[in-house]
Amino acid sequence: MADRVLVIGSGGREHALAWKLAQSPHIKHVYVAPGNAGTADNGKISNSAVSVSNHAALAQFCRDQEIKLVVVGPEAPLAAGIVDDLTAAGVRCFGPTAKAAQLESSKSFTKAFLDRHGIPTARWKSFTDTKAACDFINSANFPALVVKASGLAAGKGVVVASNKQEACKAVTEIMQDKTFGTAGETVVVEELLEGEEVSCLCFTDGITIAPMPPAQDHKRLMDGDEGPNTGGMGAYSPAPQISKDLLQKIRDTVLQKTVDGMRKEGVPYFGVLYAGLMITKDGPKVLEFNCRFGDPECQVILPLLKSDLYEVMQAVINKKLSSSMPAWFEDSAAVTVVMASEGYPGTYPKGLEITGLPKAKQLGLEVFHAGTALKDGKVVTSGGRVLTVTAIKEDLMTALQEANKGVAAIHFKGAIYRKDIGYRAIAFLRQSRGLTYKNSGVDIAAGNTLVQKIKPLAAATSRSGCNAELGGFAGLFDLKAAGYKDPILVSGTDGVGTKLKIAQVCRKHDTIGQDLVAMCVNDILAQGAEPLFFLDYFACGKLEVEVAQGVIAGIAEACKKAGCALLGGETAEMPGMYPPGEYDLAGFAVGAVERGEMLPQLERIADGDVVIGVASSGVHSNGYSLVRKIVEKSSFDFSSPVGVSGDQTLGDLLLTPTKIYSKTLLPVLRSGHVKAYAHITGGGLLENIPRVLPESFGVVLDALTWKIPEIFCWLHKEGDLSEEEMTRTFNCGIGAVLVVQKEMAQQVLKDVQKHETAWLIGKVVPLQKGSDHVKVHNLLRALQANRSLSVRSHIQGKIQSNKVKVAVLISGTGTNLEALINSTKKPNSFAQIVLVVSNKAGVEGLRKAERAGIPTRVIDHKLYESRTEFDSAVDKVLEEFSVELICLAGFMRILSGPFVKKWEGKILNIHPSLLPSFKGANAHKLVLQAGVRVTGCTVHFVAEEVDAGAIIFQEAVPVKIGDTVETLSERVKEAEHRAFPAALQLVASGAVQVGEAGKISWK
């Protein structure tokens, strides 16, 4: 059901707010109090004469008119406590409380707050005495030339003086002559900052911030920034002078710190926070805060908002902004030009007729009314700033040209306006600036920072022969100093594979470095070599210093465990090669072995030699593409708890680092009793042991002789893997094997068991022609014997004995039907598909259901005169099968209102975008046209409005360069096959349901 909204205010900002809110399908009507000529009977928008100063009467109006939200435009009502009073009366409001609004209503409060929380601002001092203020101006060791009335002065209470005399004059006029009334009882004297002024606004729910595109206002009355200060003569957005990096800095050091600071002081801030900033040579500094949209900034920012403004405001009030972040039109620019009355900002005439408004509209422009009124059916002037003419185009220069055309088309006597709005941005864009490495995506400074952070980590790995100092062109190693007489150098290189994907998903980067080192040093042990030094290669699309530092810290720690020096490495930042948040690793180990001690000693290996198995720590670093596919197809994810206590996640278990064997096994390998050593790496048991055997020999292993870690048993069962797949892909609990003479087997085993878990697991046998090099007996029995790992999904509690009965409605192949069937077939499923209904006969989806043994029904919509009749027939069949939940899987019919109402909170649908963005048909096409970098899929409850029901589950999918609708669609489908079953389990378990006002409720 559509809602009614009330906007408080009468300016161009409020017209823009009403205009944007009226675009929401959730809104039936927007009232504006008191409004202006532009908001009077304009489609879904109309004015109200209700008093905005009498909060009790206003609250009663909201109850009488069933107003669902009040949006406060100007600052004065906020400072007067309108949000506090209406909220206390049960009326939902968008905007901060009076206490939070002190950030705007008291400049002395704001300056002290900024100092308390270390937020950069100009040096300052506040005064209630004229003489003291002037003494400060004359004695300050900085240019104290900015004088501000501490209270609210309608955006005009600031004087930027050109000298000390002028500043003192401003103090006198504000404090003694009461130029700005009671607002000037306290003045703030500030340092005059130099730089570019910019406005950075954000939505906030008191915790999360959602920045808006930066804008720049033009305060001076005339072109070239001449004339007196005004409330604003125009604005543009986005401001190209503000780079993405600078915007991120503003977000972190100003906006987020302000919201966090208010929350810490017990005054949470909700609504729009506006930071007026000066971009100085020392970085951004706060000039002022506003506690609402700026005017005229609002008129250029809201046209760039792609999302539903009403939905964003509701997310703010519900403290759910993090899950409903607004989207913006990134390839557009907006310019607004203010038309003001003659005499403004001083006295000006009123009641002058305005003509040409329809012509401006025909030019495709938005004209937001400010100081206008209706008189005898005509639009007339009634204020200083009369209109704002806004153009939205693909670039700033075009937008300014179009806005100026609109201004030229509109006439009223004595109209004044600027023709150079955005001139700073245009000058910036016209500058001939050479490209830099940084704006190409490579941050050398970040790389240097990383090197400084990891230097002590590398130095800690120094050993005899090497001091491990980073920074040179190459590293040196002295073999003589390490004690070698006649050494053979041995090298190895490896990576970590797609185990990295799990580390990145789990945001756990501290153990993956050990995997990298282990994979290399364990390999060179096969030659009997001691690892001497190690080099790493870290590649990424964008260098995140903290992440890289965590990875390399793990590498350094692992080098110490292996006894080798971290001699150097390479950090490669390659924009476009890797998506944000992803990185790749490679490692290089060099070791040495005395010439007469090299392994394997093939000529010594004989029939009857014993195979000793050394325990692995788990999956180590091979087979993770299969591991990830098994997890993907299961009902679990990497955050699912494992074990009885559930204090470890599946991701943690799979990220158990690879064991490093060099220090523990090297003395045994050098004893002369070991004929061969094999690292069980990629290729598993089947392919690695033959690498250290003569062609004429193989091995026979007995899986019952060693303990197989539970994770392998779970992977075997969950993936339905064959014995050959297990032994060819995984180590199955054996990280390394030693081949020894039978008579020495017990002695060598004891030596190994001093430091590692190990077993006698098999023997060497002559290889018969055509037979396998490695035979593993009793693997299935061993896997079953160790199958005790408990992996639980997020849905806690016992599996229900009576599963929720589900019907799936289809129209064709039944997109996602197979994924739903597979997930509900699992023993831990909370749901069971009892029926598949199609409105078309003979489609593939019906055959899928029949193959799975699920009853089907065809209800042809063409046989019914109306949607309601068709839905009634469907409803009857659903009752016949006692259906409790409905999933729409490629169902191409729009359900009727009565049907949706009856099944409210019981119908699930999936949409191929991250709602609320890109609703309706052609979502992939819209995504590509908008140029966004991330899309995905959304499972939601079905409401009467299309794609507007409460969101249950979302999965993001990156948009790749060169994507077409077809390629993007395929990747989103893969995400759908995971998301829809996951959402069904959440709802069927009772973990998620529809609560009050159609919102999601989690149990």
Side-chain angles (χ1 to χ4, degrees), residues 69-85:
L69 180 68
V70 174
V71 179
V72 185
E75 62 275 21
L78 291 170
I82 190 170
V83 171
D84 308 67
D85 293 342

Side-chain angles (χ1 to χ4, degrees), residues 305 374 588 989:
L305 178 63
L374 290 173
F588 311 87
S989 72

Side-chain angles (χ1 to χ4, degrees), residues 279-489:
I279 309 303
T280 73
K281 59 180 175 51
D282 299 318
K285 294 189 177 184
V286 177
L287 297 174
E288 63 173 355
F289 283 126
N290 290 337
C291 294
R292 32 74 192 182
F293 276 106
D295 187 344
E297 290 92 342
C298 183
Q299 292 92 301
V300 290
I301 291 174
L302 285 186
L304 300 178
L305 178 63
K306 185 187 295 182
S307 300
D308 185 319
L309 178 60
Y310 187 59
E311 290 179 358
V312 175
M313 288 180 166
Q314 293 289 1
V316 166
I317 297 168
N318 295 330
K319 300 181 185 178
K320 292 184 178 179
L321 185 58
S322 62
S323 60
S324 301
M325 296 292 274
W328 302 88
F329 292 107
E330 294 186 359
D331 296 323
S332 299
V335 172
T336 196
V337 178
V338 172
M339 299 185 71
S341 296
E342 187 177 15
Y344 175 78
T347 56
Y348 46 81
K350 297 181 181 179
L352 303 174
E353 184 181 355
I354 303 169
T355 60
L357 292 171
K359 187 175 180 182
K361 197 72 176 172
Q362 288 170 8
L363 292 171
L365 305 171
E366 295 296 337
V367 180
F368 297 113
H369 291 235
T372 65
L374 290 173
K375 183 179 179 182
D376 301 327
K378 296 177 180 178
V379 179
V380 298
T381 64
S382 66
R385 291 190 295 173
V386 179
L387 301 165
T388 56
V389 182
T390 302
I392 306 101
K393 294 294 175 183
E394 63 276 6
D395 61 73
L396 274 172
M397 285 184 256
T398 307
L400 175 58
Q401 290 168 5
E402 293 301 308
N404 284 337
K405 285 180 187 177
V407 169
I410 300 170
H411 302 282
F412 58 90
K413 187 179 178 182
I416 53 174
Y417 51 86
R418 289 180 60 160
K419 298 178 182 178
D420 66 343
I421 301 301
Y423 76 93
R424 292 190 194 89
I426 292 170
F428 176 83
L429 292 170
R430 284 176 174 165
Q431 286 176 12
S432 178
R433 292 186 306 278
L435 288 172
T436 66
Y437 211 8
K438 185 172 182 179
N439 61 32
S440 299
V442 179
D443 190 340
I444 293 174
N448 291 337
T449 299
L450 176 63
V451 170
Q452 294 307 312
K453 287 178 178 287
I454 64 177
K455 270 187 174 182
L457 303 175
T461 69
S462 295
R463 53 154 292 161
S464 57
C466 173
N467 60 11
E469 287 186 3
L470 301 183
F473 286 102
L476 303 174
F477 192 94
D478 186 341
L479 284 165
K480 281 188 177 181
Y484 284 90
K485 297 183 177 67
D486 186 19
I488 299 292
L489 292 178

Side-chain angles (χ1 to χ4, degrees), residues 539-581:
C540 59
K542 181 172 177 56
L543 180 60
E544 296 178 58
V545 173
E546 297 304 319
V547 171
Q549 182 184 357
V551 173
I552 296 168
I555 292 172
E557 189 61 33
C559 284
K560 287 194 278 186
K561 290 180 182 178
C564 61
L566 178 55
L567 192 58
E570 167 71 2
T571 301
E573 187 173 20
M574 298 184 286
M577 286 289 288
Y578 300 93

Side-chain angles (χ1 to χ4, degrees), residues 15 141 223 237 276 284 301 377 424 502 544 559 621 759 779 874 958:
H15 187 181
N141 61 356
D223 286 354
S237 180
I301 291 174
R424 292 190 194 89
I502 300 176
E544 296 178 58
C559 284
S621 299
W759 310 268
L779 180 65
V874 173

